[in-house]
Amino acid sequence: QVQLVESGGGLVQAGGSLRLSCTVSGRTSSSYAMGWFRQLPEKEREFVAGISWSGYYTEVQDSLKDRFTISRDIGKNTAYLRVNDLIPEDTAVYYCAADPARARDWIGVRENEYARWGQGTQVTVSS
């Protein structure tokens, strides 16, 4: 059974930075593409960033590209989301997701493309 565990959330001041981590445990023999989504208060969950199983290909929501970076450490089965210059509008629950890669460069950008999800980690940005 595959489990995803996020960490790194918390209360951060506007202008600050943080790095979220998502570690995959369990049956990790498959090559998983991974993604980050977030759910802002009273909004639907939205795609933030995704990364291919190799780590060579990444995708970030257009409006977030200048502040959000996704990366992964294959040896640690961990994906990271680095966020710089945080603003209060980044306040949300951040979820990581994983699914076996369809292809070497495949990145899922929709919720229904991922079967495995973490429990979410709250990020609150104070002004």
Side-chain angles (χ1 to χ4, degrees):
Q1 186 173 356
V2 175
Q3 291 184 320
L4 279 64
V5 178
E6 301 108 333
S7 62
L11 177 64
V12 187
Q13 283 193 331
S17 300
L18 59 73
R19 187 180 75 164
L20 303 180
S21 301
C22 175
T23 299
V24 181
S25 62
R27 185 179 296 178
T28 57
S29 58
S30 298
S31 299
Y32 290 95
M34 299 184 71
W36 286 96
F37 291 74
R38 69 181 184 180
Q39 187 164 18
L40 280 64
E42 301 181 7
K43 295 291 181 72
E44 294 186 353
R45 195 152 53 181
E46 64 178 6
F47 172 77
V48 173
I51 190 166
S52 65
W53 70 264
S54 66
Y56 291 150
Y57 304 95
T58 63
E59 183 83 29
V60 180
Q61 187 193 119
D62 285 344
S63 65
L64 305 176
K65 282 183 176 178
D66 58 342
R67 298 186 298 115
F68 285 62
T69 305
I70 187 170
S71 61
R72 71 187 300 169
D73 185 328
I74 295 175
K76 295 182 179 180
N77 294 319
T78 299
Y80 304 97
L81 183 70
R82 174 77 180 183
V83 187
N84 296 322
D85 298 321
L86 282 154
I87 59 177
E89 290 74 18
D90 293 323
T91 295
V93 179
Y94 285 73
Y95 297 90
C96 74
D99 211 70
R102 277 77 155 157
R104 182 170 175 265
D105 59 349
W106 180 79
I107 299 172
V109 298
R110 291 181 289 273
E111 285 189 70
N112 61 7
E113 293 180 305
Y114 292 94
R116 297 161 181 84
W117 291 82
Q119 79 286 356
T121 184
Q122 176 71 47
V123 173
T124 302
V125 184
S126 63
S127 58

